[in-house]
Amino acid sequence: MVHRDRQGRQIELTEWGGLWDDMAYRIVAEDQVQGVMIRTVWEGIDEVPGTMFATGTSQDSGERWRTEREGARTEAEAMEQHRGVAEHVRRRLGSGR
């Protein structure tokens, strides 16, 4: 299994573990829409199937998460993925913002 940091550089398992424990490092973007929390995080696993970044939603202040998308390979793609999920949630809830 290959582990990568947010910039895509290959890292050792011990470094990945330290970064994994740092939520400030892992959170790429976070929004809230009418009580639904949307969060995109770095996962750092680069293997097929692997997840570099994942975007999820929570309706209970982050107690339980539902993964919405996880195809982003770069941080820029992760931001686009996050915007797409946020827009989907806004449309689903009938909120323009």
Side-chain angles (χ1 to χ4, degrees):
M1 181 175 302
V2 176
H3 298 89
R4 297 191 184 276
D5 64 14
R6 281 177 58 167
Q7 291 71 43
R9 293 183 296 260
Q10 187 170 343
I11 56 176
E12 295 297 320
L13 179 60
T14 53
E15 184 177 359
W16 176 85
L19 294 172
W20 176 265
D21 288 339
D22 181 356
M23 280 308 289
Y25 180 85
R26 291 189 60 213
I27 296 173
V28 176
E30 188 172 85
D31 286 296
Q32 191 143 5
V33 177
Q34 293 184 16
V36 177
M37 187 181 295
I38 304 157
R39 183 182 286 170
T40 297
V41 295
W42 163 84
E43 300 285 351
I45 300 172
D46 187 17
E47 191 169 306
V48 179
T51 304
M52 285 295 293
F53 298 90
T55 302
T57 57
S58 174
Q59 296 183 17
D60 59 6
S61 301
E63 293 294 317
R64 291 180 308 243
W65 289 92
R66 175 181 175 195
T67 301
E68 301 289 343
R69 296 194 191 144
E70 53 186 9
R73 306 289 305 149
T74 67
E75 195 163 339
E77 289 176 2
M79 291 300 297
E80 188 62 33
Q81 177 175 281
H82 182 89
R83 284 189 289 273
V85 170
E87 181 57 32
H88 173 76
V89 169
R90 284 185 188 96
R91 281 194 313 266
R92 188 180 79 214
L93 297 175
S95 171
R97 289 207 115 233

